[in-house]
Amino acid sequence: FSGKVALSAVGHDVPKPRLFRPMVARDSNESHRAATPLELFTDLCFVVAVAQAAAEFHHAVAANHAAAGVISFVMVFFAIWWAWLNFSWFASAYDNDDVPYRLLTILQIVGVLILAAGIHRMYAGDFLLGVAGYVIMRVALVIQWLRAASQDPARSRTCRLYALGIVLVQILWVLYLWCPPTLKVPLFFTFVLAEFMVPVVAERAGRTTWHPHHIAERYGLFFIIVLGESILSVTLAFQGMLNENRFQYQAMCVVVGGILTIFSMWWLYFSRNAALALERVLNGESLNGAYVWGFGHYFVFAAGAALGGGLASRVDYWTNREPISALASGVTVTVPVAVLIAALWFVQLRPHDCTIRTFGPFASAVGLVLLSTFSPAPEVLTGIICVALLVIELRMESRNHLKHVHG
């Protein structure tokens, strides 16, 4: 348990036991900052929750409860994503990797697993386990913020505001358990707005030292997780078809279209370096760009996870394993992809190039994908459109690079 830690607050190395390290602000310009093994392990636990959310969405669509399934998915996925976001941004600013930090992170992981266990009930309107998981996560997170407040005097007020805001909003979620069923949906989104206000208010007292390259990497890793869950969902659905000896070439079209779509979305997401845009935000006077980028990713992640349920629904349609219509199953593929394309442009490409050169192809792709809903094979057309959009984006990026080099 011995070692050294670079204390960015004082600018020099001081020997400290690894058992306990001062929780001072990390350097936002720290070189070679990357995700830690503990962060990767935490992400692995979030995989369970994302998989549960996608599977329950698929089951709701298969049971012809698509509208209720969409609302439940939006709510459940927000709970998963917001827990991940709170952990990731705190770690970017204050991860000191000592024993108390690791133990509190493990406690947060326990809360995540309880949340995941309660997702089935949350789809049925029972949020008890979900709220219980959040209480456990937030006990750990509040302790982390209070610890930072006591050991980082320059940002003590910011840390205390985070701790206070989290406690107050969590009290609202506990009271939410007793609200009438007719008010559950409107109150949920009202409390979501309260959640958003916590970082906005706290950061006004003084900015935390999150690391732009670290945050960009963390978001990229979570995007890979949701795309991986989409691949898993369609693989399991296809496997079920084969196990029942009901092979149909249309189901193979779902697999091909899904692969084209998923890999195109992955390539588009990483076609621009988000860290460069976040560096400009960090060096600017306003954090509005960081809020738009950080919060706007909800639509990227949620659409990516929902796509898996949609592709599985298309396999169900072609194999007649569930009583679902062609239009309903097609919508579950094309709408998530359309949302994903629009969100990718808004949060990933717009900060680099907000001109018609990028907006035009992405807006056209959104429209074409939605129109493909009414075609005989929307999953295949969607995949082809995504590949075409990727080719256009890569060509534009190449031309811009050449102009920059020769300019």
Side-chain angles (χ1 to χ4, degrees):
F1 290 100
S2 61
K4 292 185 177 181
V5 59
L7 300 183
S8 60
V10 295
H12 61 278
D13 290 346
V14 178
K16 291 291 179 183
R18 189 173 178 181
L19 179 63
F20 180 82
R21 291 174 173 173
M23 187 168 275
V24 295
R26 297 286 294 260
D27 185 358
S28 58
N29 296 312
E30 179 183 346
S31 59
H32 308 296
R33 179 75 188 276
T36 66
L38 181 58
E39 288 176 313
L40 298 178
F41 178 64
T42 305
D43 286 354
L44 180 63
C45 297
F46 274 99
V47 168
V48 178
V50 174
Q52 288 288 325
E56 290 297 331
F57 174 63
H58 170 214
H59 295 155
V61 173
N64 279 326
H65 298 145
V70 168
I71 296 173
S72 295
F73 176 81
V74 168
M75 297 166 67
V76 167
F77 194 85
F78 175 83
I80 298 168
W81 167 75
W82 192 249
W84 175 88
L85 180 145
N86 276 261
F87 166 76
S88 297
W89 285 81
F90 177 86
S92 189
Y94 285 106
D95 181 0
N96 65 353
D97 198 33
D98 66 357
V99 171
Y101 178 86
R102 289 189 175 193
L103 292 176
L104 288 170
T105 299
I106 291 172
L107 183 59
Q108 288 178 277
I109 290 173
V110 172
V112 172
L113 296 178
I114 293 174
L115 170 66
I119 285 176
H120 176 73
R121 294 185 178 185
M122 291 170 70
Y123 267 81
D126 181 1
F127 288 82
L128 178 60
L129 276 180
V131 172
Y134 250 78
V135 168
I136 293 172
M137 283 187 283
R138 286 187 150 168
V139 165
L141 185 59
V142 167
I143 294 173
Q144 298 276 46
W145 279 115
L146 291 177
R147 187 181 174 200
S150 67
Q151 298 175 25
D152 183 17
R155 298 167 187 82
S156 178
R157 186 166 182 266
T158 298
C159 296
R160 289 198 304 270
L161 284 172
Y162 266 110
L164 176 62
I166 290 170
V167 169
L168 292 177
V169 174
Q170 189 56 47
I171 290 173
L172 293 179
W173 288 117
V174 172
L175 296 176
Y176 178 79
L177 295 174
W178 286 275
C179 77
T182 55
L183 295 179
K184 279 191 179 294
V185 173
L187 278 179
F188 183 93
F189 291 104
T190 301
F191 293 171
V192 164
L193 293 177
E195 292 279 5
F196 286 146
M197 290 305 299
V198 173
V200 172
V201 172
E203 293 287 336
R204 287 180 180 176
R207 296 186 184 182
T208 52
T209 57
W210 49 272
H211 194 289
H213 289 269
H214 175 250
I215 285 294
E217 181 191 20
R218 298 292 293 118
Y219 272 68
L221 290 171
F222 198 78
F223 186 59
I224 291 173
I225 286 174
V226 298
L227 290 185
E229 290 305 320
S230 291
I231 293 175
L232 176 62
S233 295
V234 70
T235 301
L236 292 178
F238 188 67
Q239 182 185 42
M241 177 197 70
L242 295 179
N243 291 340
E244 296 173 7
N245 295 318
R246 302 176 67 180
F247 179 83
Q248 294 186 6
Y249 79 90
Q250 294 98 329
M252 276 301 301
C253 290
V254 177
V255 175
V256 172
I259 290 174
L260 291 176
T261 300
I262 291 169
F263 280 92
S264 296
M265 293 300 98
W266 167 80
W267 202 326
L268 282 169
Y269 183 92
F270 292 102
S271 65
R272 304 294 178 103
N273 189 347
L276 299 179
L278 289 174
E279 279 184 342
R280 293 195 295 269
V281 170
L282 190 63
N283 296 326
E285 295 182 359
S286 174
L287 285 177
N288 291 337
Y291 296 137
V292 170
W293 188 89
F295 297 160
H297 263 78
Y298 168 80
F299 298 98
V300 175
F301 296 152
L307 175 59
L311 292 171
S313 297
R314 285 297 290 174
V315 173
D316 287 346
Y317 167 72
W318 287 120
T319 57
N320 297 315
R321 289 193 296 147
E322 299 289 351
I324 185 173
S325 67
L327 182 61
S329 63
V331 166
T332 61
V333 172
T334 57
V335 170
V337 174
V339 172
L340 181 53
I341 292 173
L344 279 179
W345 178 83
F346 190 77
V347 301
Q348 285 291 88
L349 276 82
R350 182 184 56 85
H352 298 274
D353 183 1
C354 61
T355 65
I356 191 67
R357 290 180 299 178
T358 59
F359 176 77
F362 275 75
S364 300
V366 169
L368 290 173
V369 166
L370 291 176
L371 286 175
S372 72
T373 305
F374 305 98
S375 69
E379 61 279 353
V380 176
L381 280 179
T382 294
I384 294 172
I385 293 167
C386 290
V387 171
L389 177 62
L390 173 62
V391 171
I392 294 171
E393 163 60 16
L394 292 177
R395 292 194 65 180
M396 287 193 300
E397 184 184 8
S398 177
R399 290 177 182 175
N400 291 338
H401 178 71
L402 290 175
K403 288 180 181 179
H404 179 74
V405 170
H406 296 294

